[in-house]
Amino acid sequence: MVPALVLMLLAVAPYGPAVARRHAPDLREDEPARRTTRPAECQFGKQAKELGSTWFADLGPPFGVMYCIKCECIPVQKKRRVVAKVHCRNIKNECPEPSCDSPELLPGRCCKSCPGDTNSPDIVQEDSPTVVIDEEELSMKHFGALLTGRSPLCIRRDDMTGVPVAAGVATARFTFRRRHLFWSVILGPSMVTRPRALAFLDRGGRMLLEHPLRKFQGIHATYEEKTDKLCGVWRRVPREYKRLLREGSLYVALIWGDERNNSMDTALSGRISRYPALATEMFTSLLEPEHAPASIGNGACDDYRVPGQEEGWWGGTAVVTGAAGAAPSLHLAIVFNGVFKPTSREQTIKVMLTLPEKNQTIIDEVHKMSKPSYDFNIIEVSTPVSAAELRSLARGRLLLSVEAISTPERRLTGVVRQRAACEVFHAPLIAERLSAATIPEGLALLYIDKEGSLVYDIQVDNLSIADPKITLVEEQGKRHSQVEILDTRMGVLARPSARIFPPLYEDQLAVHIGSDTGPPLLRGRLLSRSLPDAAGAGPAVLKRTDARPAPSTIIAGLAWVSVDALCGINYEVTINGYNGGWSSWLESHALGSSAPRALSGQEGSVLEPTPAELSALHAGAAYLNVRAAENGTEFLRTRLPQISVPPSCLPSVSYVVDNELSPNYPPTHNNVPPDNSLSNTASCFYAGRSYEDGAQWMATELCHMCGCVHGALRCDPIRCPVVECAAPTIQPPGQCCPICTNSTTAVWNESHGCHLAGQYHAPGSSWHPYLVPGGYDTCAVCTCDFSTRQVRCPRVKCPILKCAEKDAYRPDKKSCCRVCPVVKEKKSDEDTLKDQGTPRTAEEILAEGGCKFPDGPLPNGKEVHPSIHSHGEQRCVTCRCKDGEVTCVRKRCNRAACARRRRGDACCACTRHRRQRAPRPPS
């Protein structure tokens, strides 16, 4: 299958930029309709290229790497936006003149060079596939931003009109990790409308990336609702934009407007900076004016920001760190603006931290600022506190205020709440010891909501204790101290102890599950995980298989899989208890699904997944397994929960269809998860009975096979395979297919049948395997032997082909065996009917194994020469359609053909051998 870029670059190479602007035909079989522009990176084939990178065009077979075609990912300004574009050019004419008499063309080079030559345009530095975390990236991990009306950034629309400043205050936190910038935003209480998008901009107001703030079903929407935060991630930040972040020249803006036409009605912006104590932040406060401003101005691009005449909202944010123990203390780093008179050079600032319900003052300090800034001021305060005050802090009861002594009417106030970072804490639960019975396994997941409550979800399988004791334990080396006891496996701890937060944020809090006495049966240390956009339905427990790398190994793991707004699959796999190398694989059990996809590394992204993979994730029919690196043994496996996929990423026709039984068919039903649940459960109702997710059953009264996929009910008519019996078949009451007894004296007995995949099958029955949600697999026939009660599921044996392998094809996509094309005798013109009836439609051709092609669909087995708009028909390239895939091959000629080639055969690329001249005699 030749990508469309092949023909485009062939047209670019010899003719230059004028021809490059023409559109070449696309020879791919299935062009996804989800080509969303990735502003921060370029897309070349199926590879993402970072902004500023250069590479040689790899066109795949039969062309290979074109070392004379140099490509770059360059930033292009499109009105007020910056987008990344691929620019390829022919560098053959840029080759320098060699400095020696006998230059050589080295492998992998375009220009002839002499020994020692390094100044050549065909030497590029390709992107490194591995991510190296250097000290520079580790030092720039935590950032913050204060978004107020006093930001100096000017934001303009595409028509160059200024965007008015929104009323209100917001604060943001940023964590840079492995090339990804995770962000979280807290809006002030006065901002009741959710923004349309979040944008990153440079100092000049040019938009570098716009991230839509859409809601997706799953843990992400639940988390945002229960914490009042906006969460997301900027994946694969280019080096150029990372430099802006490091220099403090990167800005963030919230945009309000109509989502349908992406309008920009108002915006609120702020500079991303380094704040003190962000690495140890435990609590956050957003400070708003106690009295709202009378006017907010016209826009950031107007010249109204004159000292003494400024308008707009002012505000602040506080980074609060609390230390528990023998001497509890607090440290506050307060960033603010607008509380003082702009004409004064020296200001006296008063900071107060109070407990209003008890009329108690915890902090009351005065600080002097010699040179106050217009939009960015920092004050740091430290004070000892009591354990009771620390509990009030953890429960959101403390009020922080900042004011200038000379202007108390511009006072800023805000409640101290949990820290602003969007994060959950997870842990795969590992068994402490091997037992003769089944080894228990599970996971723990929790987060802190806006009320300061602890929301938790503990999932455990194969636990031998009916009512286990679940405790949160602080683990510091060999010293373990119990902090809290959880009454249920899923719930909300409304008044958590203040002792929880320091070990929780320092990765020292663990979950222990066991009995009242003795060591725990399961345990796992909670680790923080940033919650990006569209995080799916939460983590999935990786279940152990029968095959383990070592019999005495106890392994536990969990997997996060999500689909972002750009249709990319993002994954993260965590394994505990295994020290060897391993790899993870994604399997999509769907109609038309491809082979399992290898996932590189512990976490990463699949930028161009297939439609079958996205459909399987959306329907909950995808699996993830972990294999050992040394021998490929699969030792962990899970079925991924249903993941919310944007509608624009799904194929036009989903393979999970609605049932078509009767008007009285019972409707499907989605269970509504608990109020603060972190996982979504779904079930189906049929004939007054509830079926769990993934279950399948037989409706014998209608002879239908049904399955439940996350609340979606699918029923298919039972397909009876052809049975070959030595004796006549029987069809007892309640059975939909004939049963083969292979005996004339056999007595029908409905008991002691066969069990497969949780389903009972009568003795002597035959059936096709039913896979949820793909339906029947007609390429296999399972049989329950009448006498031995053993199940066998052999595949259908295909007949021997009477034609060449390359000529055979499948009549349709569901066919199990390939067939040979029908050879028709060529009829004379007299015998040929002039009117052959209605021609076949494109859908009919594709259904019979045809292929999509720019000039129209190709029938299965047809060969054509492709055409390019600027070059016409390419006689040297032959494209052939076989079983829905197009394969294009360039004609090759051997040495014998080159020796006797005829005139006009321009497809044979033959090398002329020059005669070697004798060296000149020395003079």
Side-chain angles (χ1 to χ4, degrees):
M1 204 163 44
V2 179
L5 203 55
V6 170
L7 301 181
M8 183 184 74
L9 289 180
L10 289 179
V12 172
Y15 291 97
V19 181
R21 289 191 292 267
R22 299 174 183 173
H23 295 286
D26 192 349
L27 299 185
R28 270 185 284 195
E29 170 210 356
D30 191 5
E31 176 66 18
R34 54 182 189 276
R35 291 292 179 184
T36 308
T37 303
R38 302 176 189 268
E41 60 188 18
C42 297
Q43 195 75 14
F44 187 84
K46 291 189 176 182
Q47 294 182 347
K49 297 294 183 179
E50 186 176 340
L51 196 66
S53 61
T54 58
W55 68 93
F56 295 124
D58 186 1
L59 307 184
F63 304 99
V65 179
M66 309 288 288
Y67 292 102
C68 289
I69 305 297
K70 186 177 182 180
C71 298
E72 301 175 272
C73 182
I74 59 175
V76 177
Q77 185 168 350
K78 188 176 181 181
K79 296 183 179 179
R80 296 293 294 178
R81 301 171 185 267
V82 178
V83 297
K85 295 290 185 182
V86 176
H87 175 68
C88 298
R89 70 181 191 277
N90 190 350
I91 61 173
K92 184 67 176 178
N93 298 329
E94 302 178 16
C95 294
E97 190 69 24
S99 58
C100 58
D101 296 334
S102 301
E104 297 181 355
L105 182 61
L106 300 177
R109 300 286 294 275
C110 175
C111 306
K112 291 185 177 181
S113 60
C114 300
D117 288 350
T118 58
N119 185 17
S120 180
D122 59 358
I123 300 177
V124 301
Q125 181 68 31
E126 297 187 13
D127 293 337
S128 175
T130 59
V131 179
V132 179
I133 308 299
D134 53 13
E135 293 296 330
E136 178 187 4
E137 292 189 359
L138 292 176
S139 64
M140 55 172 287
K141 186 174 181 180
H142 301 283
F143 297 86
L146 176 62
L147 289 73
T148 67
R150 303 172 73 89
S151 172
L153 186 66
C154 172
I155 303 177
R156 295 186 182 272
R157 303 183 181 93
D158 291 340
D159 58 0
M160 302 306 294
T161 58
V163 179
V165 177
V169 181
T171 186
R173 299 292 184 268
F174 303 89
T175 303
F176 187 84
R177 184 172 65 92
R178 302 198 180 200
R179 291 186 60 193
H180 308 317
L181 186 64
F182 296 88
W183 51 264
S184 58
V185 178
I186 296 179
L187 303 178
S190 59
M191 307 177 74
V192 295
T193 306
R194 181 186 175 94
R196 174 184 64 81
L198 179 140
F200 291 92
L201 309 98
D202 61 6
R203 189 184 296 273
R206 299 185 305 168
M207 190 173 295
L208 308 179
L209 176 72
E210 182 178 343
H211 190 288
L213 299 177
R214 300 189 183 98
K215 282 190 175 183
F216 295 96
Q217 296 298 324
I219 184 177
H220 185 264
T222 304
Y223 183 87
E224 287 191 340
E225 179 184 355
K226 300 303 176 184
T227 60
D228 283 348
K229 300 176 185 177
L230 302 178
C231 310
V233 59
W234 182 0
R235 297 192 180 276
R236 297 173 296 279
V237 180
R239 289 188 294 266
E240 178 65 21
Y241 297 161
K242 190 171 65 174
R243 180 182 61 82
L244 297 179
L245 177 65
R246 182 172 56 252
E247 297 174 353
S249 300
L250 191 64
Y251 288 76
V252 64
L254 298 173
I255 300 172
W256 282 264
D258 191 353
E259 187 176 346
R260 293 170 295 181
N261 53 15
N262 294 333
S263 64
M264 299 175 66
D265 298 339
T266 58
L268 190 65
S269 62
R271 185 165 63 96
I272 303 177
S273 308
R274 301 174 190 265
Y275 291 173
L278 277 179
T280 58
E281 181 179 19
M282 295 174 57
F283 304 93
T284 302
S285 180
L286 180 60
L287 306 175
E288 279 194 343
E290 194 173 39
H291 305 286
S295 60
I296 60 173
N298 296 322
C301 302
D302 298 333
D303 298 329
Y304 71 92
R305 299 181 182 278
V306 180
Q309 303 176 9
E310 71 272 7
E311 296 174 319
W313 282 70
W314 59 94
T317 182
V319 180
V320 183
T321 302
S329 62
L330 282 182
H331 177 270
L332 288 79
I334 307 171
V335 181
F336 65 97
N337 57 35
V339 300
F340 35 73
K341 291 182 179 180
T343 56
S344 302
R345 292 189 177 181
E346 182 174 315
Q347 294 285 344
T348 303
I349 307 299
K350 182 178 182 180
V351 178
M352 294 186 65
L353 183 65
T354 60
L355 181 58
E357 63 183 32
K358 293 185 178 181
N359 197 18
Q360 180 181 350
T361 301
I362 301 173
I363 297 177
D364 187 357
E365 295 188 8
V366 175
H367 294 259
K368 289 188 177 182
M369 301 190 66
S370 58
K371 294 182 179 180
S373 175
Y374 176 81
D375 63 335
F376 190 82
N377 301 276
I378 296 180
I379 290 180
E380 295 190 56
V381 179
S382 297
T383 182
V385 294
S386 64
E389 293 169 343
L390 201 59
R391 284 195 301 270
S392 300
L393 174 70
R395 294 167 186 173
R397 298 176 180 175
L398 300 188
L399 183 68
L400 178 66
S401 64
V402 178
E403 66 177 79
I405 299 297
S406 58
T407 55
E409 69 277 3
R410 302 179 71 88
R411 181 187 298 116
L412 295 173
T413 60
V415 177
V416 181
R417 48 176 290 176
Q418 294 300 319
R419 67 177 178 179
C422 291
E423 60 185 345
V424 294
F425 301 88
H426 67 166
L429 301 178
I430 189 168
E432 286 292 282
R433 57 187 181 275
L434 287 172
S435 60
T438 306
I439 301 176
E441 55 192 356
L443 64 83
L445 186 67
L446 57 88
Y447 69 93
I448 310 297
D449 65 6
K450 59 186 175 183
E451 306 295 339
S453 302
L454 184 71
V455 185
Y456 60 91
D457 185 2
I458 312 295
Q459 302 177 19
V460 180
D461 292 333
N462 304 324
L463 193 64
S464 58
I465 304 175
D467 188 15
K469 179 183 179 181
I470 305 175
T471 57
L472 299 179
V473 179
E474 181 181 1
E475 296 183 349
Q476 293 183 346
K478 295 182 178 180
R479 177 176 169 269
H480 294 180
S481 57
Q482 180 176 300
V483 179
E484 285 282 2
I485 299 178
L486 305 180
D487 297 331
T488 59
R489 298 188 183 184
M490 179 186 297
V492 179
L493 186 61
R495 300 167 61 90
S497 170
R499 293 177 53 200
I500 283 184
F501 301 105
L504 179 64
Y505 295 145
E506 295 172 3
D507 296 338
Q508 294 181 349
L509 192 66
V511 177
H512 288 198
I513 301 178
S515 59
D516 294 334
T517 59
L521 300 179
L522 284 172
R523 64 171 296 273
R525 178 168 293 191
L526 294 164
L527 300 178
S528 173
R529 180 188 187 274
S530 299
L531 187 70
D533 55 334
V541 183
L542 291 171
K543 304 292 185 67
R544 286 181 295 270
T545 62
D546 294 335
R548 289 195 298 273
S552 60
T553 304
I554 304 178
I555 306 172
L558 56 85
W560 291 81
V561 179
S562 64
V563 178
D564 56 32
L566 298 177
C567 308
I569 299 177
N570 307 299
Y571 61 89
E572 179 180 343
V573 182
T574 302
I575 304 294
N576 285 349
Y578 183 64
N579 299 324
W582 53 271
S583 61
S584 55
W585 297 75
L586 178 65
E587 299 178 3
S588 53
H589 289 199
L591 297 180
S593 60
S594 56
R597 179 189 293 271
L599 305 177
S600 58
Q602 180 179 351
E603 59 178 304
S605 302
V606 179
L607 298 183
E608 289 293 326
T610 63
E613 290 172 336
L614 292 173
S615 299
L617 290 172
H618 186 68
Y623 292 80
L624 189 141
N625 61 72
V626 179
R627 306 176 186 177
E630 58 271 12
N631 53 14
T633 302
E634 177 184 308
F635 59 91
L636 291 176
R637 182 180 179 83
T638 186
R639 179 175 180 170
L640 297 173
Q642 184 181 16
I643 295 172
S644 178
V645 179
S648 59
C649 303
L650 293 171
S652 55
V653 179
S654 177
Y655 61 88
V656 180
V657 296
D658 293 334
N659 59 81
E660 300 178 356
L661 295 179
S662 64
N664 297 325
Y665 192 81
T668 61
H669 176 74
N670 288 325
N671 282 346
V672 179
D675 189 26
N676 286 310
S677 175
L678 291 169
S679 60
N680 293 333
T681 58
S683 60
C684 301
F685 288 89
Y686 178 85
R689 181 181 174 185
S690 175
Y691 292 89
E692 296 182 355
D693 170 39
Q696 54 179 274
W697 66 95
M698 183 183 300
T700 55
E701 66 278 4
L702 298 175
C703 285
H704 278 76
M705 194 69 183
C706 301
C708 179
V709 183
H710 290 274
L713 178 64
R714 171 174 179 165
C715 291
D716 296 320
I718 292 178
R719 297 187 179 183
C720 298
V722 178
V723 294
E724 297 179 358
C725 304
T729 60
I730 61 174
Q731 187 167 351
Q735 299 294 319
C736 298
C737 296
I739 291 177
C740 183
T741 61
N742 284 337
S743 173
T744 57
T745 61
V747 179
W748 163 247
N749 185 4
E750 62 180 6
S751 62
H752 306 294
C754 302
H755 292 270
L756 183 66
Q759 290 293 314
Y760 169 81
H761 298 276
S765 60
S766 300
W767 67 95
H768 293 297
Y770 186 79
L771 306 176
V772 178
Y776 280 103
D777 180 9
T778 56
C779 296
V781 178
C782 296
T783 303
C784 176
D785 189 84
F786 194 90
S787 56
T788 63
R789 308 297 195 264
Q790 293 182 353
V791 178
R792 296 184 58 192
C793 297
R795 305 290 293 179
V796 173
K797 294 184 179 180
C798 296
I800 300 176
L801 296 173
K802 297 182 179 179
C803 58
E805 286 281 342
K806 64 179 182 178
D807 297 330
Y809 68 96
R810 299 183 188 276
D812 56 73
K813 293 183 178 181
K814 295 183 180 180
S815 298
C816 301
C817 303
R818 294 182 297 169
V819 298
C820 295
V822 178
V823 180
K824 297 183 179 179
E825 296 182 0
K826 190 174 181 180
K827 297 183 179 180
S828 60
D829 295 341
E830 292 78 8
D831 299 334
T832 303
L833 298 177
K834 300 301 180 182
D835 186 6
Q836 297 294 334
T838 305
R840 290 183 300 170
T841 62
E843 291 76 10
E844 293 174 346
I845 296 177
L846 296 177
E848 296 174 356
C851 308
K852 294 181 181 179
F853 208 70
D855 300 332
L858 292 180
N860 198 356
K862 186 174 181 59
E863 293 184 352
V864 295
H865 298 297
S867 298
I868 303 179
H869 176 70
S870 58
H871 291 69
E873 188 179 21
Q874 301 295 298
R875 302 289 301 178
C876 301
V877 179
T878 302
C879 295
R880 183 171 184 267
C881 173
K882 181 180 177 182
D883 296 338
E885 294 186 2
V886 175
T887 304
C888 297
V889 181
R890 189 179 183 88
K891 184 177 180 180
R892 297 181 179 179
C893 301
N894 54 25
R895 184 175 297 178
C898 290
R900 62 174 185 271
R901 71 173 182 175
R902 300 176 181 177
R903 292 183 178 180
D905 191 2
C907 295
C908 291
C910 304
T911 305
R912 297 183 178 180
H913 300 277
R914 297 181 179 179
R915 294 182 178 180
Q916 299 290 336
R917 297 183 179 179
R920 295 181 180 181
S923 56

